[in-house]
Amino acid sequence: MKTFTYRTAAGVADGLEPGATFLGGGTNLVDLMKLGVATPDVLVDVTRLGLDDVAELPGGGLRIGAGVRNSDLAADPRVRGQYPVLSQALLAGASGQLRNMATTAGNLLQRTRCRYFMDATMPCNKHDPGSGCPAVSGDHRNLAILGASPSCIATHPSDMAVALAALDAVVRISGPTGERTVPVTELHRLPGDTPERDTVLEHGELITAVDLPPLEFATRSTYRKVRDRASYAFAVGSVAAALQVTDGTVRDVRLAFGAVAHKPWRASQAEEALRGRPATRESFLAAADAELGAARPLRDNTFKVALIRNLVASVLEGLS
């Protein structure tokens, strides 16, 4: 591991010097440092900034501090009651020990677990721009089928972020130029020609909170994750969904997919195809087809198209 300097942040407005990185729970960053993939000169600890509360918003909804631990957020009665999809997604991720350390912001900002990215000795456009993407012709079984590019086919590994995307969550950011908000669906980037940039955050910008807007029918929501083993494994595919059905007709719906793209994938086309349609398996499959029409699977991950298609139908049938 490269030698680095450690300091604590003096406040939310405390900026980052060149070569510095914010440190929260460290459950992903420290691993990457041990592997030589992340090589910060300075770690700036932000865990003492008081960003660890879950508060109710005046107009409804919740504000989740960036430093709230994943285990605390999953257990919060308001989250479990109003947004069960979020609690379930959090509990589906990692292990109990890791959830006790991992923070809301850190979960959002975790990096891909693509084997080529995780190996500093391998070519990878994410840690060595211009070196190529060996995953395209190599090991890509669990990589992207949507939104990828010849430069990168990595997937975003977070379960929590998929639920937040489905719930129209908004990220609150503080930085050198002031404060701004970004929808979770726009926080992460598709790879394009610059896959080294995972998000739209600029250097020195700090996530301070995530706002969950009120969504009445989110009480009927769920998260379903398919993985290679029963626990402590990243998703092969996942679906976050909330569904409102009246007299057998879909009145409203929220859908997002995980482990299929460089970002949590909000299934807007599927949602549009479902509103006003009968709440039947046939409608659910047709909506999934509308979203997955843009899928471009590779040699070894074609199965993900059928997996997500059937997962969407199963999840929505369960909520109907």
Side-chain angles (χ1 to χ4, degrees), residues 110-126:
Q110 63 180 298
R111 306 204 70 185
T112 183
R113 295 322 196 275
C114 172
R115 60 174 295 184
Y116 302 102
F117 170 73
M118 298 288 285
D119 186 344
T121 69
M122 294 293 292
C124 172
N125 286 323
K126 291 185 81 63

Side-chain angles (χ1 to χ4, degrees), residues 9-316:
V12 170
D14 189 6
L16 280 181
E17 54 267 52
T21 300
F22 289 125
L23 173 69
T27 54
N28 182 213
L29 176 59
V30 174
D31 282 348
L32 294 177
M33 292 172 65
K34 290 178 180 178
L35 294 169
V37 176
T39 56
D41 296 318
V42 182
L43 289 183
V44 181
D45 189 333
V46 295
T47 59
R48 305 178 190 180
L49 296 179
L51 304 175
D52 53 0
D53 291 328
V54 179
E56 297 179 14
L57 293 170
L62 299 174
R63 176 162 296 166
I64 304 163
V68 174
R69 305 291 177 172
N70 288 182
S71 53
D72 293 333
L73 185 59
D76 189 290
R78 295 162 296 185
V79 174
R80 294 175 63 188
Q82 299 173 44
Y83 308 96
V85 62
L86 177 56
S87 181
Q88 292 169 19
L90 285 159
L91 293 173
S95 65
Q97 295 93 331
L98 287 171
R99 291 193 296 269
N100 286 341
M101 287 297 297
T103 64
T104 300
N107 191 318
L108 278 174
L109 298 178
Q110 63 180 298
R111 306 204 70 185
T112 183
R113 295 322 196 275
C114 172
R115 60 174 295 184
Y116 302 102
F117 170 73
M118 298 288 285
D119 186 344
T121 69
M122 294 293 292
C124 172
N125 286 323
K126 291 185 81 63
H127 60 62
D128 187 12
S131 63
C133 179
V136 172
S137 58
D139 182 3
H140 54 244
R141 174 181 176 272
N142 200 24
L143 298 183
I145 60 172
L146 290 165
S149 77
S151 297
C152 182
I153 58 171
T155 52
H156 193 268
S158 173
D159 296 295
M160 180 195 76
V162 182
L164 291 177
L167 292 170
D168 292 315
V170 175
V171 179
R172 303 183 68 84
I173 300 164
S174 178
T177 60
E179 298 183 354
R180 64 181 178 124
T181 58
V182 175
V184 163
T185 52
E186 297 176 19
L187 175 67
H188 302 92
R189 302 174 64 257
L190 292 179
D193 295 327
T194 54
E196 67 273 16
R197 288 200 63 192
D198 288 352
T199 72
V200 299
L201 293 178
E202 301 293 342
H203 185 73
E205 287 194 313
L206 175 70
I207 294 177
T208 58
V210 176
D211 287 353
L212 285 177
L215 184 65
E216 184 178 348
F217 69 94
T219 56
R220 290 198 55 75
S221 64
T222 194
Y223 183 75
R224 186 83 58 83
K225 176 179 181 176
V226 175
R227 46 190 164 184
D228 287 329
R229 59 178 186 263
S231 66
Y232 196 36
F234 294 101
V236 175
S238 66
V239 171
L243 183 66
Q244 185 179 41
V245 175
T246 304
D247 297 329
T249 299
V250 176
R251 180 178 175 187
D252 208 350
V253 62
R254 300 287 188 275
L255 274 176
F257 303 159
V260 296
H262 198 254
K263 60 188 290 184
W265 190 269
R266 179 66 179 267
S268 301
Q269 292 185 62
E271 292 177 358
E272 186 61 29
L274 271 176
R275 293 187 181 102
R277 303 296 299 171
T280 62
R281 183 174 179 84
E282 291 72 23
S283 295
F284 301 151
L285 289 171
D289 289 340
E291 192 68 44
L292 293 168
R296 297 294 181 267
L298 296 173
R299 179 193 65 237
D300 297 331
N301 65 3
T302 302
F303 74 94
K304 282 196 175 189
V305 177
L307 174 67
I308 295 296
R309 182 177 189 264
N310 289 316
L311 197 56
V312 167
S314 177
V315 166
L316 292 177

